Amino acid sequence: MPPRIAILPGDGIGPEVIDEAVKVLQAAGVAADFEFALIGGAAIDATGVPLPDETLELCRQSDAVLLGAVGGPKWDTLEPAHLRPEVGALLPLRRELNLYANVRPARTMRPLVHASPLKEGRSMIDLIVVRELTGGIYFGERFRKDDGKTAIDTAVYTRAEVERITLRAFEIARQRRHQVVSVDKANVLETSRLWRETVNDLAAQNPDISVTHMLVDNCAMQLVRDPGQFDVILTENMFGDILSDEASMITGSLGLLPSASLSDANGDKVFGLYEPIHGSAPDIAGQSRANPLAAILSAAMMMRFTFGDGRTADRIEAAVEAALDEGLRTADIFENETRLVSTTEMGDAVAAKLRP
Ligand code: NAD
Protein backbone atom coordinates (compact mmCIF):
# COMPACT_ATOMS: atom_id res chain seq x y z
CA MET A 1 0.00 0.00 0.00
CA PRO A 2 1.41 3.41 -0.87
CA PRO A 3 1.72 5.81 2.07
CA ARG A 4 -1.21 8.12 2.62
CA ILE A 5 -0.58 11.84 3.03
CA ALA A 6 -3.40 14.15 4.09
CA ILE A 7 -3.08 17.52 2.35
CA LEU A 8 -4.82 20.43 4.07
CA PRO A 9 -4.19 23.58 1.98
CA GLY A 10 -6.29 25.93 4.15
CA ASP A 11 -6.64 29.62 3.39
CA GLY A 12 -4.91 32.59 1.76
CA ILE A 13 -1.53 31.57 0.33
CA GLY A 14 -1.92 28.09 1.90
CA PRO A 15 -3.27 26.46 -1.28
CA GLU A 16 -0.68 28.26 -3.44
CA VAL A 17 2.35 27.05 -1.47
CA ILE A 18 0.92 23.56 -0.89
CA ASP A 19 0.43 23.05 -4.65
CA GLU A 20 4.15 23.65 -5.09
CA ALA A 21 5.09 21.32 -2.23
CA VAL A 22 3.01 18.49 -3.73
CA LYS A 23 4.51 19.20 -7.16
CA VAL A 24 8.00 18.89 -5.66
CA LEU A 25 7.20 15.64 -3.81
CA GLN A 26 5.90 14.15 -7.06
CA ALA A 27 8.97 15.33 -8.96
CA ALA A 28 11.15 13.69 -6.29
CA GLY A 29 9.40 10.39 -7.08
CA VAL A 30 7.40 10.11 -3.86
CA ALA A 31 4.69 7.57 -4.66
CA ALA A 32 2.00 8.38 -2.11
CA ASP A 33 -1.75 8.88 -2.11
CA PHE A 34 -2.23 12.63 -1.66
CA GLU A 35 -5.71 13.16 -0.23
CA PHE A 36 -7.00 16.73 0.05
CA ALA A 37 -9.36 17.99 2.77
CA LEU A 38 -10.77 21.27 4.00
CA ILE A 39 -9.55 23.17 7.05
CA GLY A 40 -9.82 26.71 8.43
CA GLY A 41 -11.86 29.43 6.73
CA ALA A 42 -12.30 27.32 3.60
CA ALA A 43 -13.93 24.64 5.77
CA ILE A 44 -16.11 27.20 7.57
CA ASP A 45 -17.42 28.49 4.24
CA ALA A 46 -18.16 24.99 2.97
CA THR A 47 -19.36 23.22 6.13
CA GLY A 48 -19.83 25.79 8.93
CA VAL A 49 -16.94 24.49 11.08
CA PRO A 50 -13.15 25.02 10.86
CA LEU A 51 -12.22 21.37 11.45
CA PRO A 52 -14.81 19.05 9.89
CA ASP A 53 -15.01 15.48 11.24
CA GLU A 54 -14.03 14.09 7.81
CA THR A 55 -10.82 16.13 7.88
CA LEU A 56 -9.87 14.89 11.34
CA GLU A 57 -10.72 11.32 10.33
CA LEU A 58 -8.61 11.58 7.17
CA CYS A 59 -5.65 12.80 9.29
CA ARG A 60 -6.10 9.87 11.69
CA GLN A 61 -6.09 7.43 8.76
CA SER A 62 -3.00 8.99 7.17
CA ASP A 63 0.74 8.52 7.76
CA ALA A 64 1.38 12.26 7.75
CA VAL A 65 -0.35 15.59 7.29
CA LEU A 66 0.90 18.49 5.17
CA LEU A 67 -0.81 21.77 6.03
CA GLY A 68 -0.67 25.20 4.35
CA ALA A 69 -2.00 27.88 6.68
CA VAL A 70 -5.35 28.91 8.09
CA GLY A 71 -7.10 32.17 8.88
CA GLY A 72 -7.94 35.51 7.40
CA PRO A 73 -9.89 38.68 8.20
CA LYS A 74 -13.18 37.08 7.11
CA TRP A 75 -13.04 34.50 9.94
CA ASP A 76 -10.53 35.66 12.59
CA THR A 77 -13.11 37.50 14.72
CA LEU A 78 -15.97 34.99 14.51
CA GLU A 79 -17.83 34.36 17.76
CA PRO A 80 -17.69 32.09 19.65
CA ALA A 81 -13.90 31.71 19.45
CA HIS A 82 -13.97 27.97 18.71
CA LEU A 83 -15.34 28.84 15.26
CA ARG A 84 -12.15 30.74 14.40
CA PRO A 85 -9.61 28.94 12.20
CA GLU A 86 -6.62 28.89 14.57
CA VAL A 87 -8.49 28.19 17.82
CA GLY A 88 -11.06 25.89 16.23
CA ALA A 89 -8.84 24.00 13.81
CA LEU A 90 -5.13 24.08 14.64
CA LEU A 91 -5.33 23.67 18.42
CA PRO A 92 -7.82 20.75 18.36
CA LEU A 93 -5.89 19.10 15.53
CA ARG A 94 -2.68 19.18 17.61
CA ARG A 95 -4.51 17.88 20.68
CA GLU A 96 -6.50 15.16 18.88
CA LEU A 97 -3.44 13.89 17.04
CA ASN A 98 -1.25 14.02 20.19
CA LEU A 99 1.36 16.19 18.48
CA TYR A 100 3.49 16.88 21.54
CA ALA A 101 6.86 17.56 19.89
CA ASN A 102 7.27 20.72 17.87
CA VAL A 103 10.41 20.66 15.76
CA ARG A 104 11.69 23.80 14.06
CA PRO A 105 14.94 23.87 12.16
CA ALA A 106 16.72 27.17 11.65
CA ARG A 107 19.39 26.86 9.00
CA THR A 108 21.21 29.48 6.98
CA MET A 109 20.81 28.89 3.27
CA ARG A 110 24.21 29.74 1.83
CA PRO A 111 22.84 31.92 -1.02
CA LEU A 112 20.79 33.90 1.53
CA VAL A 113 23.45 34.48 4.14
CA HIS A 114 22.83 38.25 3.80
CA ALA A 115 19.16 37.86 4.80
CA SER A 116 20.13 37.30 8.44
CA PRO A 117 19.50 40.38 10.58
CA LEU A 118 22.70 39.53 12.45
CA LYS A 119 25.88 41.27 11.42
CA GLU A 120 28.12 39.55 8.86
CA GLY A 121 30.89 37.36 10.14
CA ARG A 122 28.63 35.25 12.34
CA SER A 123 28.88 31.51 12.04
CA MET A 124 26.45 29.73 9.74
CA ILE A 125 23.36 28.64 11.63
CA ASP A 126 22.17 25.03 11.57
CA LEU A 127 20.09 24.23 14.63
CA ILE A 128 16.80 22.65 15.57
CA VAL A 129 14.50 23.72 18.39
CA VAL A 130 12.55 20.81 19.91
CA ARG A 131 9.70 22.32 21.90
CA GLU A 132 7.28 20.47 24.18
CA LEU A 133 3.88 21.43 22.76
CA THR A 134 1.09 20.02 24.92
CA GLY A 135 2.10 20.76 28.55
CA GLY A 136 3.41 23.51 30.80
CA ILE A 137 1.87 26.87 31.58
CA TYR A 138 -0.22 27.05 28.38
CA PHE A 139 -2.17 23.98 29.50
CA GLY A 140 -2.27 24.51 33.29
CA GLU A 141 -5.19 25.80 35.30
CA ARG A 142 -5.76 29.55 34.94
CA PHE A 143 -8.14 31.81 36.80
CA ARG A 144 -8.79 35.16 38.44
CA LYS A 145 -9.31 35.48 42.16
CA ASP A 146 -12.66 36.85 43.31
CA ASP A 147 -11.75 40.52 43.21
CA GLY A 148 -10.60 40.14 39.57
CA LYS A 149 -7.35 41.90 40.38
CA THR A 150 -5.21 38.79 40.85
CA ALA A 151 -4.54 36.42 37.93
CA ILE A 152 -3.06 32.93 38.25
CA ASP A 153 -1.56 30.65 35.58
CA THR A 154 -0.16 27.31 36.63
CA ALA A 155 2.77 25.50 35.01
CA VAL A 156 2.56 21.73 35.34
CA TYR A 157 4.93 19.07 33.99
CA THR A 158 5.02 15.37 34.69
CA ARG A 159 8.14 13.25 34.46
CA ALA A 160 6.53 11.22 31.66
CA GLU A 161 5.95 14.36 29.58
CA VAL A 162 9.56 15.45 30.00
CA GLU A 163 10.86 11.96 29.21
CA ARG A 164 9.06 11.59 25.89
CA ILE A 165 10.13 14.99 24.54
CA THR A 166 13.72 14.44 25.74
CA LEU A 167 13.93 11.08 23.99
CA ARG A 168 12.56 12.67 20.82
CA ALA A 169 15.25 15.38 21.02
CA PHE A 170 17.92 12.69 21.48
CA GLU A 171 16.66 10.82 18.40
CA ILE A 172 16.84 14.00 16.35
CA ALA A 173 20.32 14.80 17.67
CA ARG A 174 21.42 11.29 16.64
CA GLN A 175 20.69 12.21 13.00
CA ARG A 176 22.81 15.35 13.44
CA ARG A 177 25.78 16.36 15.60
CA HIS A 178 24.71 14.53 18.79
CA GLN A 179 24.59 17.69 20.93
CA VAL A 180 21.59 18.72 23.00
CA VAL A 181 21.31 21.91 25.02
CA SER A 182 18.39 21.62 27.43
CA VAL A 183 16.95 25.03 28.27
CA ASP A 184 15.13 25.75 31.53
CA LYS A 185 14.90 28.17 34.44
CA ALA A 186 16.04 25.71 37.11
CA ASN A 187 17.37 28.49 39.35
CA VAL A 188 13.75 29.59 39.95
CA LEU A 189 11.09 27.14 38.80
CA GLU A 190 10.20 23.76 40.31
CA THR A 191 8.97 22.45 36.92
CA SER A 192 12.43 23.33 35.57
CA ARG A 193 14.12 21.39 38.37
CA LEU A 194 12.05 18.30 37.50
CA TRP A 195 12.86 18.95 33.84
CA ARG A 196 16.61 19.08 34.53
CA GLU A 197 16.61 15.97 36.77
CA THR A 198 14.73 13.99 34.14
CA VAL A 199 16.97 15.13 31.30
CA ASN A 200 20.05 14.23 33.38
CA ASP A 201 18.72 10.73 34.10
CA LEU A 202 18.08 10.11 30.42
CA ALA A 203 21.44 11.61 29.48
CA ALA A 204 23.13 9.04 31.73
CA GLN A 205 21.33 6.26 29.82
CA ASN A 206 22.22 7.74 26.41
CA PRO A 207 25.95 8.42 26.57
CA ASP A 208 26.23 8.93 22.81
CA ILE A 209 24.45 12.27 23.24
CA SER A 210 26.28 15.22 24.74
CA VAL A 211 23.84 17.05 27.03
CA THR A 212 24.36 20.45 28.61
CA HIS A 213 21.97 22.83 30.36
CA MET A 214 21.39 26.52 29.81
CA LEU A 215 19.11 29.00 31.53
CA VAL A 216 16.51 30.46 29.20
CA ASP A 217 17.63 34.07 29.56
CA ASN A 218 21.19 33.10 28.68
CA CYS A 219 19.94 31.04 25.71
CA ALA A 220 18.03 34.02 24.31
CA MET A 221 21.28 35.98 24.47
CA GLN A 222 23.50 33.21 23.07
CA LEU A 223 21.20 32.77 20.06
CA VAL A 224 22.03 36.31 19.00
CA ARG A 225 25.67 36.27 20.14
CA ASP A 226 26.75 32.94 18.62
CA PRO A 227 23.95 30.82 17.12
CA GLY A 228 26.49 28.52 15.47
CA GLN A 229 27.17 26.89 18.86
CA PHE A 230 23.80 25.09 18.90
CA ASP A 231 22.82 21.75 17.40
CA VAL A 232 19.56 20.72 19.15
CA ILE A 233 17.82 22.98 21.68
CA LEU A 234 15.37 21.06 23.87
CA THR A 235 12.89 23.08 25.88
CA GLU A 236 9.44 23.37 27.42
CA ASN A 237 6.36 24.89 25.86
CA MET A 238 6.52 28.60 26.68
CA PHE A 239 10.31 28.97 26.45
CA GLY A 240 10.19 27.07 23.15
CA ASP A 241 7.46 29.34 21.81
CA ILE A 242 9.71 32.35 22.24
CA LEU A 243 13.10 30.80 21.44
CA SER A 244 11.87 29.07 18.28
CA ASP A 245 10.64 32.38 16.86
CA GLU A 246 13.94 34.00 17.77
CA ALA A 247 15.97 31.16 16.27
CA SER A 248 13.88 31.17 13.08
CA MET A 249 14.17 34.84 12.41
CA ILE A 250 17.94 35.04 12.72
CA THR A 251 18.17 33.04 9.49
CA GLY A 252 16.17 35.52 7.39
CA SER A 253 12.81 35.20 5.68
CA LEU A 254 9.60 33.86 7.16
CA GLY A 255 8.81 32.30 3.80
CA LEU A 256 11.70 29.84 4.20
CA LEU A 257 10.98 28.25 7.55
CA PRO A 258 9.43 24.78 7.88
CA SER A 259 8.18 22.96 10.97
CA ALA A 260 6.99 19.59 12.17
CA SER A 261 4.73 18.60 15.04
CA LEU A 262 5.31 14.97 15.91
CA SER A 263 3.47 12.28 17.82
CA ASP A 264 4.60 8.85 19.01
CA ALA A 265 6.42 6.45 16.75
CA ASN A 266 4.42 3.58 15.32
CA GLY A 267 6.99 0.96 14.35
CA ASP A 268 9.57 2.83 12.32
CA LYS A 269 7.14 5.58 11.32
CA VAL A 270 6.57 8.77 13.30
CA PHE A 271 3.20 10.39 12.72
CA GLY A 272 3.59 14.10 12.11
CA LEU A 273 1.95 17.28 10.88
CA TYR A 274 4.19 19.42 8.70
CA GLU A 275 3.60 23.08 7.96
CA PRO A 276 5.42 26.29 7.12
CA ILE A 277 5.69 28.56 10.15
CA HIS A 278 4.15 31.50 8.28
CA GLY A 279 0.44 32.26 8.21
CA SER A 280 -2.02 32.67 5.35
CA ALA A 281 -0.62 36.11 4.33
CA PRO A 282 -3.95 37.60 3.16
CA ASP A 283 -2.08 40.70 1.94
CA ILE A 284 -0.47 38.77 -0.93
CA ALA A 285 -2.93 35.88 -1.40
CA GLY A 286 -4.02 35.13 -4.97
CA GLN A 287 -1.13 37.05 -6.55
CA SER A 288 1.42 34.21 -6.96
CA ARG A 289 3.86 36.24 -4.86
CA ALA A 290 4.14 33.85 -1.91
CA ASN A 291 7.41 32.08 -1.26
CA PRO A 292 6.67 28.33 -1.48
CA LEU A 293 10.03 27.24 -0.05
CA ALA A 294 8.86 26.91 3.59
CA ALA A 295 6.11 24.54 2.44
CA ILE A 296 8.53 22.64 0.20
CA LEU A 297 11.05 22.33 3.06
CA SER A 298 8.20 21.14 5.34
CA ALA A 299 7.57 18.36 2.81
CA ALA A 300 11.29 17.49 3.02
CA MET A 301 10.99 17.26 6.82
CA MET A 302 8.06 14.89 6.35
CA MET A 303 10.20 12.57 4.23
CA ARG A 304 12.94 12.62 6.88
CA PHE A 305 10.88 12.26 10.07
CA THR A 306 7.75 10.32 9.11
CA PHE A 307 9.08 8.18 6.29
CA GLY A 308 12.69 7.86 7.47
CA ASP A 309 13.78 8.83 3.94
CA GLY A 310 16.66 11.20 4.62
CA ARG A 311 17.92 10.77 1.06
CA THR A 312 14.80 12.27 -0.52
CA ALA A 313 14.78 15.00 2.14
CA ASP A 314 18.41 15.85 1.34
CA ARG A 315 17.64 15.92 -2.40
CA ILE A 316 14.71 18.32 -1.91
CA GLU A 317 16.79 20.59 0.33
CA ALA A 318 19.64 20.58 -2.20
CA ALA A 319 17.18 21.42 -5.01
CA VAL A 320 15.93 24.42 -3.01
CA GLU A 321 19.47 25.60 -2.44
CA ALA A 322 20.29 25.10 -6.14
CA ALA A 323 17.29 27.22 -7.21
CA LEU A 324 18.45 29.97 -4.85
CA ASP A 325 22.02 29.57 -6.09
CA GLU A 326 20.76 30.30 -9.61
CA GLY A 327 19.52 33.64 -8.31
CA LEU A 328 15.79 32.87 -8.33
CA ARG A 329 13.91 34.86 -5.68
CA THR A 330 10.28 35.41 -4.76
CA ALA A 331 9.41 39.00 -3.80
CA ASP A 332 10.02 38.55 -0.05
CA ILE A 333 13.71 37.69 -0.56
CA PHE A 334 14.39 39.66 -3.73
CA GLU A 335 17.69 41.60 -3.88
CA ASN A 336 19.49 43.44 -6.65
CA GLU A 337 21.03 41.14 -9.25
CA THR A 338 18.65 38.28 -8.51
CA ARG A 339 15.70 37.23 -10.67
CA LEU A 340 12.16 37.83 -9.41
CA VAL A 341 9.94 34.77 -9.87
CA SER A 342 6.36 33.85 -8.99
CA THR A 343 5.24 31.14 -6.57
CA THR A 344 4.72 28.65 -9.38
CA GLU A 345 7.96 29.51 -11.13
CA MET A 346 9.89 28.87 -7.92
CA GLY A 347 8.08 25.53 -7.42
CA ASP A 348 8.73 24.59 -11.07
CA ALA A 349 12.43 25.40 -10.70
CA VAL A 350 12.83 23.24 -7.59
CA ALA A 351 10.82 20.40 -9.19
CA ALA A 352 12.91 20.57 -12.37
CA LYS A 353 16.09 19.94 -10.37
CA LEU A 354 14.59 16.75 -8.94
CA ARG A 355 13.31 15.09 -12.10
CA PRO A 356 15.61 12.40 -13.45
P1 NAD B 1 1.60 35.88 8.18
O1 NAD B 1 2.72 34.93 8.43
O2 NAD B 1 0.47 35.35 7.37
O3 NAD B 1 2.16 37.18 7.39
C1 NAD B 1 3.12 38.08 7.95
C2 NAD B 1 3.84 38.83 6.80
O4 NAD B 1 4.75 37.93 6.16
C3 NAD B 1 2.90 39.32 5.72
O5 NAD B 1 3.35 40.57 5.22
C4 NAD B 1 2.99 38.27 4.63
O6 NAD B 1 2.73 38.76 3.33
C5 NAD B 1 4.42 37.79 4.79
N1 NAD B 1 4.54 36.37 4.44
C6 NAD B 1 4.10 35.30 5.18
N2 NAD B 1 4.36 34.16 4.54
C7 NAD B 1 4.96 34.49 3.38
C8 NAD B 1 5.45 33.73 2.28
N3 NAD B 1 5.39 32.41 2.25
N4 NAD B 1 5.99 34.41 1.25
C9 NAD B 1 6.08 35.75 1.25
N5 NAD B 1 5.65 36.52 2.27
C10 NAD B 1 5.09 35.90 3.31
O7 NAD B 1 1.13 36.41 9.58
P2 NAD B 1 -0.10 37.40 9.96
O8 NAD B 1 -0.23 38.46 8.92
O9 NAD B 1 0.10 37.75 11.37
O10 NAD B 1 -1.40 36.47 9.89
C11 NAD B 1 -2.23 36.34 8.74
C12 NAD B 1 -3.25 35.24 8.97
O11 NAD B 1 -2.56 33.99 9.13
C13 NAD B 1 -4.07 35.42 10.24
O12 NAD B 1 -5.38 35.01 9.95
C14 NAD B 1 -3.41 34.50 11.25
O13 NAD B 1 -4.32 34.06 12.23
C15 NAD B 1 -2.98 33.36 10.35
N6 NAD B 1 -1.86 32.56 10.86
C16 NAD B 1 -1.94 31.22 10.66
C17 NAD B 1 -0.89 30.40 11.03
C18 NAD B 1 -1.00 28.92 10.74
O14 NAD B 1 -1.88 28.53 9.99
N7 NAD B 1 -0.16 28.09 11.31
C19 NAD B 1 0.26 30.94 11.61
C20 NAD B 1 0.34 32.32 11.78
C21 NAD B 1 -0.72 33.14 11.39
Side-chain angles (χ1 to χ4, degrees), residues 13-22 68-69 276 278 290-293 295-296 343:
I13 62 168
E16 299 172 46
V17 297
I18 285 297
D19 276 354
E20 303 313 311
V22 172
H278 61 71
N291 187 340
L293 297 180
I296 291 170
T343 308

Side-chain angles (χ1 to χ4, degrees), residues 90-112:
L90 291 187
L91 298 185
L93 197 58
R94 288 174 187 153
R95 192 177 52 238
E96 292 295 323
L97 301 176
N98 192 28
L99 301 170
Y100 62 85
N102 186 236
V103 180
R104 277 220 213 161
R107 186 170 143 254
T108 317
M109 292 270 172
R110 212 175 1 89
L112 293 181

